[in-house]
Amino acid sequence: MKKLNRFAQLATVSAFALFLIAAMLLTYRARHKGYSFYENRNLAPRPAYSAGAVLDGTWFSALESYLIDRAAGHNTLARLNARLDIALRRPTVNNVVVEDDLLLAMLPYQAADAAALEARSERMAERLQEIDALVSSCGGQFCHVLVPSHYAYYADRYPAFLNNFAEDTALRRASFRAALERRGVDYVDLWDTFAALGFPSELGSAVDHHYSVYGAYEIYRAVLEHFNERGAGLTVYDAFDDAQIDKPYLGSRMRKLLGAWQSDERLHYFVPRDEIPFTRSDNGHESASTVFAFPAADDEWVTYSFFMGGDIPHTVIDTHRDELPSILIYGDSFTNALESIAYVSFDETHSLDFRYYTDQLTLGEYIEQYRPDYVICVRDYEVLLETGGNGVGVDG
Amino acid sequence: MVFSSVSFLVFFLPALLVSYYLVPRRFREARNAVLLAFSLAFYACGGVRYLALLILSIAINYLCGLLASDAHRAGVRRAAVVLACVLGLGLLGWFKYAGFFARIVNDLGVAIPIPHIALPIGISFFTFQGLSYVIDVARGDAACQRNPLRVALYVALFPQLVAGPIVRYTTVEREIGARDESLDEFTAGLVRFLFGLAKKMLLANAMGELTDSVYGMPQLSASTAWIGAIAYTFQIYFDFSAYSDMAIGLGRMFGFHFLENFNYPYVSASVTEFWRRWHISLSSWFRDYLYIPLGGSRCGRVRQLRNLAVVWLLTGLWHGASWNFIAWGAWFCVLLIGEKFLYGAALERSPAVLRHVYTMLAVVISWVFFRAPTMSAALAFLRAMCGGGAGWYSADSVYYLREYLPELLICPVACLPVRDALRGMLERRSGRAAEAVLILAPKLLALALLGLSYMKLVSGSFNPFIYFQF
C-alpha cells in the first residue's frame, strides 16, 4: 500500500503540474485573440499600464478579465458547461429558457406598468406622426410594422413558473395601437396575421429570436396587402424557391449556448424563380449583387447574418425597374430576412438601421432626399417603445 | 488576487511553486524570502498603494514585538502592547470605521466631513494577526522574533493574508524556521486546496447567483425570501470555508499547518455550539484576547453580560462598519445570553431535531442582517419571510428551486461530515480494497473537481469572495 500511496501522490502532483503547464501555455498562446464568435463580443483588451491603475489595483482586475477571456479551452469548456447545465435539466442556461424543442429568452420577473407603457406609447406615436406627415408631404405612404417578439410569438410555450410578459405584451399592444390610432398613424400589427394563421411554429425559429424566412414572407405579404388595401397596386411575389443551407443554424439563442443544444434546424431562404438582376450598395459603396452571405466552406455554422450580410447601416438595392415604386425599410435586424424578399417587388429598396447609421443624414433628410414611395418602420414588441436606435424621429 | 482566478491558478501559483522548490531545502531563509516576495506581490495585486499599509503594519508589530519581549521590564512590555493596539487598531479604525462614525456624528447634528476611504483588502485579518503576535510575545506565550523577514512572512503569508484564517504566531512559529515540505504534505495540501476550490466554484458561486437574484428583487414573496435566505446561508458557509480550505491546503503545500477554521457549523444544536464551529480563528481570538482578559465567565452576572455585549459588539463591527453588522452581533449576543442564562438547560433537554431547527433558524435570520445592504432592507426582507412582502408564494420560487436544484440538493449534504463518516467507515474495514479506496478516491475526486472548477471559472463571471470585504 505504501507503493500505491506513493504512486498516487506522484500521479496527482504530476497531473496537477501538467494541468498548470498546459493551461499556462494555451492561455499564453491565445493572447492575440480579440473577438469571441460565440459570445459575439470583443474580448477584454490587454490592460494599458498606468501608474494610477497599478496603485489602486484596477490594472490587475483588468488583467484578470483579459486572461479569463483567453483562458485555455475557453470556448470548449463554456460549451461543456452549457451542455452539463442542459443535461441537469436546468430551466434556463446562459439566460436562455431551454425547452425540449425550443429556445426562448429568459425574461425578468417584473410586472407590467400600464401607466408607463401608455406614456411611452404616446411619446413614440408622436414621433411616428411627424414621420408619417413628412412621408406624406413627400408623396409617399408610411406604415409602422409591429412584429411580435420571439417571446410573444411563443408566449404559451413558457413554463408556468417563468414570466412570458403576456400581460406586458397585451398592454403594450393595446396602448401603442390606441396611441397610433389617435394620431392617425397607419400600422400593421403582425399579431393579427399570425393569430389568424394559428401562430405556426415554422414561422419562427427554435434557435433564433428572428423569424424564419417563412415568417419574414408573411410580414412581407401582410405589409404589401395592407398598402394594396389602400390602393397601392403592389405585386405580392410568390414564385420563390425554398432553399436551405446544409449547415447547423447557429441562431442567437443557440449561440448563447455555444451550440451545445441539439437541433437539426436549417436556415431556409427564398430565391425568386424569375431572374431579377439588381445592383447593391452598402454604406455608399457598391457591393456584390446578392442578398445572402453564404458561409465559407470551412465554417461550422450559418447564422442569421446570412440574410443581407447582417446589420448594415445603409443598403440600397436597385433592380432598375423604374416602373416600380421605391421603398425605405428601417428597423432592427428583423428587417434583414424581410429585405431579402421584399426587394423583388420594388425598383429601389433602401434599408437603414439607425442603431449604426449615425452621423449621416437624419431620417427626415433621407426621406426628403430620396422621396421613397413607401416607408416602413419594422420593430418588434420588445423595442417598440424605445426611442433610441430605430425609434428615431424625423430629426434623428 | 483571489485563489479562484486564472491569474492565480495559471500564472501566480506555478511561478511560485517553481521559484520556491528550485531553492534547495537547506536554504530555508531563501525559501522564506521567495515566499515573502510572492506574498507581497499577491497582496500588491489588490492595489500597490495598500502594500505600504501592510508593510507599516508589519513594522509596527515587529518593533512592538521587540519591545514586548521578556528582555524588557513589565511596564515596557505593557506599553508595547498598548502601542501595537493603538497603532494597529488606529489604522484599522481609520480605514474601516472613519466614514461610518463620521456619518453617525453627522446624524447627531454635528456637521463634520465624511471621509471616503477605500478599504484595504484583508486589513481586519492582518491587523488581528499582528496584534496576536505582540500580545503572545508580551504574555510569554511566544518567543520574540528578531528577524524582521520572519515577522513579515508570518503576517503576510499569502494563503491566509486577505481572508484568514487568523493564524496565531505560535501555530507557525516553528515552521517558519524549520518545516518539512514533503510529497505527503504537498499532496495532502493540494487535495485540500482543490476541494476548497470546488466548494467555491461549484457551490458557493451558484448559491451566490441565487442569493443576488433574490436580494435584487423589488418585491418578495415569503417562499422566495426563504429560498434567498437559505441560499445565502449556504453561500456564506461554502464561500468562507472554501477560502479557509484553500488557505490551509496552500499552507500545507509549503509545509505550514494552519488550524481548522470551520468544523461543520451547520450541524450545531445550539448557537453556542455554532460559534465553537464557525470562524474558529476569529471567535477564539476574541475569546483569548478580549473576553477572558475582561473577566470572561469568571465574574458576576452583570460583568459577564457586559463582557458578552462588548465582545459581540466588536465581533459585529469587525465584520463591517454598518448598523447591519452591529445588529448581527447583537442578535447573536442576545441568543448566547439566552442560552447561557435563560433557556440553555431547557434547550439541552429538548429533542435534537428541535435544537437543530432552533439553531438553523437563528443562523439563517442572522445572515439576513449580514447580507442585506441596509438595516431597512434587512427588516423588509425579514418581513417578506413572514409573508409581509408580496404574499406567501410566487412562481419565481419554483424557478429558483428548479434552476438551482442540483446545488440545493448537494449543499445540505456537503454541510454534513459525510467525508469523515465515509473515511471512518473505510478505515474500520480491513482489506486492501478499502485501503486503496482511501488512498485513491480523494485524489481522483480532487482532480475531477479541478476540471469542473476550471470549467466554471473560465465559463462564468460570478466569482466574488464575501470575506474579502473584511
Side-chain angles (χ1 to χ4, degrees), chain B residues 19-36 145 147 149-150 153 157 172-182 251-256:
Chain B
S19 310
Y20 185 85
Y21 281 103
L22 273 180
V23 178
R25 188 187 298 194
R26 62 180 181 280
F27 299 123
R28 175 58 55 204
E29 294 307 326
R31 278 195 170 183
N32 281 352
V34 169
L35 210 46
L36 176 61
Q145 178 52 260
N147 182 342
L149 294 182
R150 288 192 174 189
L153 181 61
L157 193 57
V172 292
E173 185 178 9
R174 189 195 65 79
E175 288 172 342
I176 288 177
R179 56 187 177 275
D180 302 317
E181 298 98 336
S182 66
R252 244 179 129 171
M253 288 162 77
F254 296 97
F256 290 97

Side-chain angles (χ1 to χ4, degrees), chain B residues 125 240 261-262 275 277-283 318-319 467:
Chain B
F125 287 98
F240 192 20
N261 208 19
F262 291 88
W275 274 103
R277 291 170 174 273
W278 178 274
H279 203 172
I280 298 165
S281 63
L282 179 71
S283 44
W318 182 88
H319 283 89
Y467 263 69

Side-chain angles (χ1 to χ4, degrees), chain A residues 40-353:
Chain A
N40 195 20
R41 66 174 176 93
N42 291 322
L43 299 179
R46 187 198 301 251
Y49 172 83
S50 80
V54 170
L55 279 174
D56 66 16
T58 50
W59 188 85
F60 296 100
S61 45
L63 180 68
E64 176 63 17
S65 305
Y66 168 79
L67 288 175
I68 220 160
D69 271 358
R70 290 156 184 84
H74 184 279
N75 281 349
T76 310
L77 290 171
R79 186 180 303 131
L80 197 62
N81 187 41
R83 209 161 265 164
L84 182 67
D85 284 342
I86 293 167
L88 288 171
R89 308 286 296 170
R90 295 193 201 270
T92 68
V93 178
N94 296 353
N95 260 333
V96 174
V97 179
V98 181
E99 289 291 284
D100 286 341
D101 58 346
L102 182 64
L103 301 176
L104 296 157
M106 171 66 185
L107 302 170
Y109 287 98
Q110 65 187 41
D113 183 344
L117 286 174
E118 228 162 82
R120 292 171 66 198
S121 296
E122 209 54 52
R123 196 162 55 242
M124 183 52 72
E126 191 181 343
R127 281 190 171 193
L128 293 167
Q129 187 181 26
E130 288 170 14
I131 296 167
D132 182 48
L134 178 71
V135 173
S136 298
S137 72
C138 293
Q141 278 187 60
F142 175 77
C143 179
H144 193 61
V145 181
L146 291 61
V147 294
S149 301
H150 195 257
Y151 63 76
Y153 192 89
Y154 293 106
D156 59 343
R157 298 296 312 280
Y158 276 83
F161 56 86
L162 289 178
N163 192 3
N164 64 3
F165 273 12
E167 189 193 357
D168 180 277
T169 298
L171 284 170
R172 194 174 279 252
R173 284 183 62 228
S175 66
F176 191 50
R177 286 169 65 135
L180 291 176
E181 281 162 17
R182 271 195 298 278
R183 292 178 180 275
V185 179
D186 194 20
Y187 70 87
V188 180
D189 184 353
L190 266 297
W191 181 279
D192 302 330
T193 309
F194 295 143
L197 296 169
F199 290 102
S201 61
E202 65 270 20
L203 299 195
S205 166
V207 296
D208 193 279
H209 71 284
H210 299 99
Y211 287 94
S212 68
V213 75
Y214 308 116
Y217 183 79
E218 290 304 328
I219 298 171
Y220 157 78
R221 185 160 64 186
V223 171
L224 264 61
E225 283 175 355
H226 180 81
F227 279 129
N228 285 343
E229 282 166 17
R230 281 150 183 74
L234 295 166
T235 307
V236 180
Y237 191 85
D238 59 4
F240 287 106
D241 283 330
D242 183 354
Q244 71 171 41
I245 304 289
D246 278 327
K247 285 177 186 286
Y249 180 19
L250 189 72
S252 53
R253 306 256 181 267
M254 183 69 125
R255 200 168 182 166
K256 285 184 111 175
L257 299 179
L258 295 99
W261 192 64
Q262 286 300 319
S263 166
D264 54 6
E265 182 173 330
R266 292 290 183 265
L267 188 99
H268 286 249
Y269 59 101
F270 281 176
V271 182
R273 279 184 210 128
D274 305 292
E275 197 178 336
I276 304 172
F278 62 88
T279 53
R280 171 176 172 167
S281 74
D282 292 323
N283 305 318
H285 303 288
E286 195 171 322
S287 56
S289 298
T290 176
V291 287
F292 306 120
F294 286 91
D298 56 349
D299 283 352
E300 192 186 351
W301 305 92
V302 60
T303 68
Y304 182 77
S305 292
F306 170 81
F307 293 111
M308 299 299 290
D311 298 330
I312 294 170
H314 178 212
T315 296
V316 179
I317 294 173
D318 190 349
T319 61
H320 306 286
R321 297 174 296 177
D322 294 343
E323 68 281 11
L324 293 179
S326 61
I327 187 167
L328 164 63
I329 302 172
Y330 73 97
D332 299 345
S333 47
F334 282 90
T335 62
N336 297 353
L338 171 66
E339 287 158 5
S340 77
I341 298 167
Y343 78 95
V344 300
S345 296
F346 296 93
D347 172 28
E348 282 184 10
T349 302
H350 296 243
S351 164
L352 290 173
D353 188 337

Side-chain angles (χ1 to χ4, degrees), chain B residues 271-272 330-340 343 358 362-363:
Chain B
V271 172
T272 309
W331 170 253
F332 277 119
C333 184
V334 168
L335 291 168
L336 289 168
I337 287 171
E339 287 184 11
K340 201 173 177 68
Y343 55 83
Y358 150 79
V363 169

